Amino acid sequence: MPELYTLDECLDLYADAFCIGRQRECLFLSLWGRDTALQELLARLTLPTADNGLDTLHLCQGDTRHAMVFGDMDRYSRRSARLRQTRFGTLVHVWIFDQRCITPDRANLHSIALLDDEGGNCPVDDQLWPRVRELCPLPLLDHWRAPVMTLLHAQHAVLPAQFSQGPIQAWEISLDESDLAPRLSGMIRAGVLTSEP
């Protein structure tokens, strides 16, 4: 059974998974509750704070409290599913997530990868590599994975979310082409990166 967090701003809703970024921004949020409570929350997130809107949610469990900031709601996507036959009546499950989880921001070379924290024995770098290759404007060969990922970790270009709760773990990818290009070129010249495996 996953740990459930309540929301200070709406006590009828429960979060079973969430990821908070380096600036305390919401990267992913999974909520359960009745449809009316969820619709009210989603509406308040789109309103200015002066009009009873919300820009921050506080997820709580006992003495543990996490602030999650929402900026422009146009940056977020959401999916929902309705569960009809529960002991508590009709419940709705809503996922709110930064659109960079699905579509990388190629203009700024930013992406967010959501990884299944419980899934298999696949190393994190193996899971992140396809997203790095997709985002990088420079061509990367598959057998370069280990040295390139080591470089990106050293540059803090690939970082885990500040906090992840539940079975989902978020990783933030932020590439700097002007810095990455000469480093990759130097690794090619030094024979670290080769044309053949």
Side-chain angles (χ1 to χ4, degrees):
M1 180 73 178
E3 296 183 38
L4 294 178
Y5 283 69
T6 58
L7 276 68
D8 272 356
E9 294 74 14
C10 189
L11 297 175
D12 294 335
L13 298 179
Y14 299 89
D16 64 344
F18 55 93
C19 303
I20 300 173
R22 304 251 154 219
Q23 307 300 318
R24 295 188 316 140
E25 75 277 18
C26 172
L27 302 180
F28 175 83
L29 175 61
S30 170
L31 291 172
W32 293 86
R34 296 190 183 276
D35 189 45
T36 51
L38 283 163
Q39 293 303 327
E40 178 186 350
L41 176 70
L42 294 172
R44 289 183 68 193
L45 286 171
T46 63
L47 294 172
T49 53
D51 296 332
N52 198 30
L54 294 170
D55 61 4
T56 305
L57 296 178
H58 295 89
L59 298 117
C60 307
Q61 186 188 64
D63 294 334
T64 305
R65 196 165 190 260
H66 300 283
M68 175 182 281
V69 177
F70 289 83
D72 181 4
M73 285 305 290
D74 290 338
R75 282 181 37 202
Y76 293 93
S77 291
R78 70 175 182 254
R79 303 286 185 272
S80 63
R82 188 177 299 274
L83 304 176
R84 294 201 175 271
Q85 298 174 348
T86 72
R87 294 174 117 177
F88 309 105
T90 301
L91 290 180
V92 177
H93 190 186
V94 171
W95 301 271
I96 303 170
F97 50 91
D98 191 304
Q99 290 181 8
R100 292 174 296 170
C101 295
I102 297 175
T103 307
D105 178 356
R106 295 187 191 285
N108 297 304
L109 299 182
H110 291 185
S111 184
I112 298 166
L114 295 178
L115 307 182
D116 182 356
D117 205 26
E118 298 174 345
N121 300 317
C122 188
V124 168
D125 283 356
D126 289 354
Q127 297 178 66
L128 293 174
W129 180 244
R131 187 61 69 94
V132 168
R133 284 193 66 188
E134 178 187 17
L135 182 64
C136 186
L138 307 167
L140 299 174
L141 300 178
D142 261 339
H143 61 277
W144 293 359
R145 184 193 55 76
V148 171
M149 290 304 294
T150 299
L151 170 67
L152 295 179
H153 284 293
Q155 292 181 311
H156 303 293
V158 177
L159 291 168
Q162 179 180 329
F163 185 83
S164 291
Q165 170 65 37
I168 299 291
Q169 185 179 22
W171 283 75
E172 299 180 71
I173 304 168
S174 181
L175 305 182
D176 180 353
E177 184 179 4
S178 63
D179 183 53
L180 189 57
R183 289 180 185 271
L184 291 178
S185 179
M187 291 169 76
I188 291 170
R189 285 194 303 272
V192 175
L193 303 179
T194 59
S195 59
E196 297 295 332

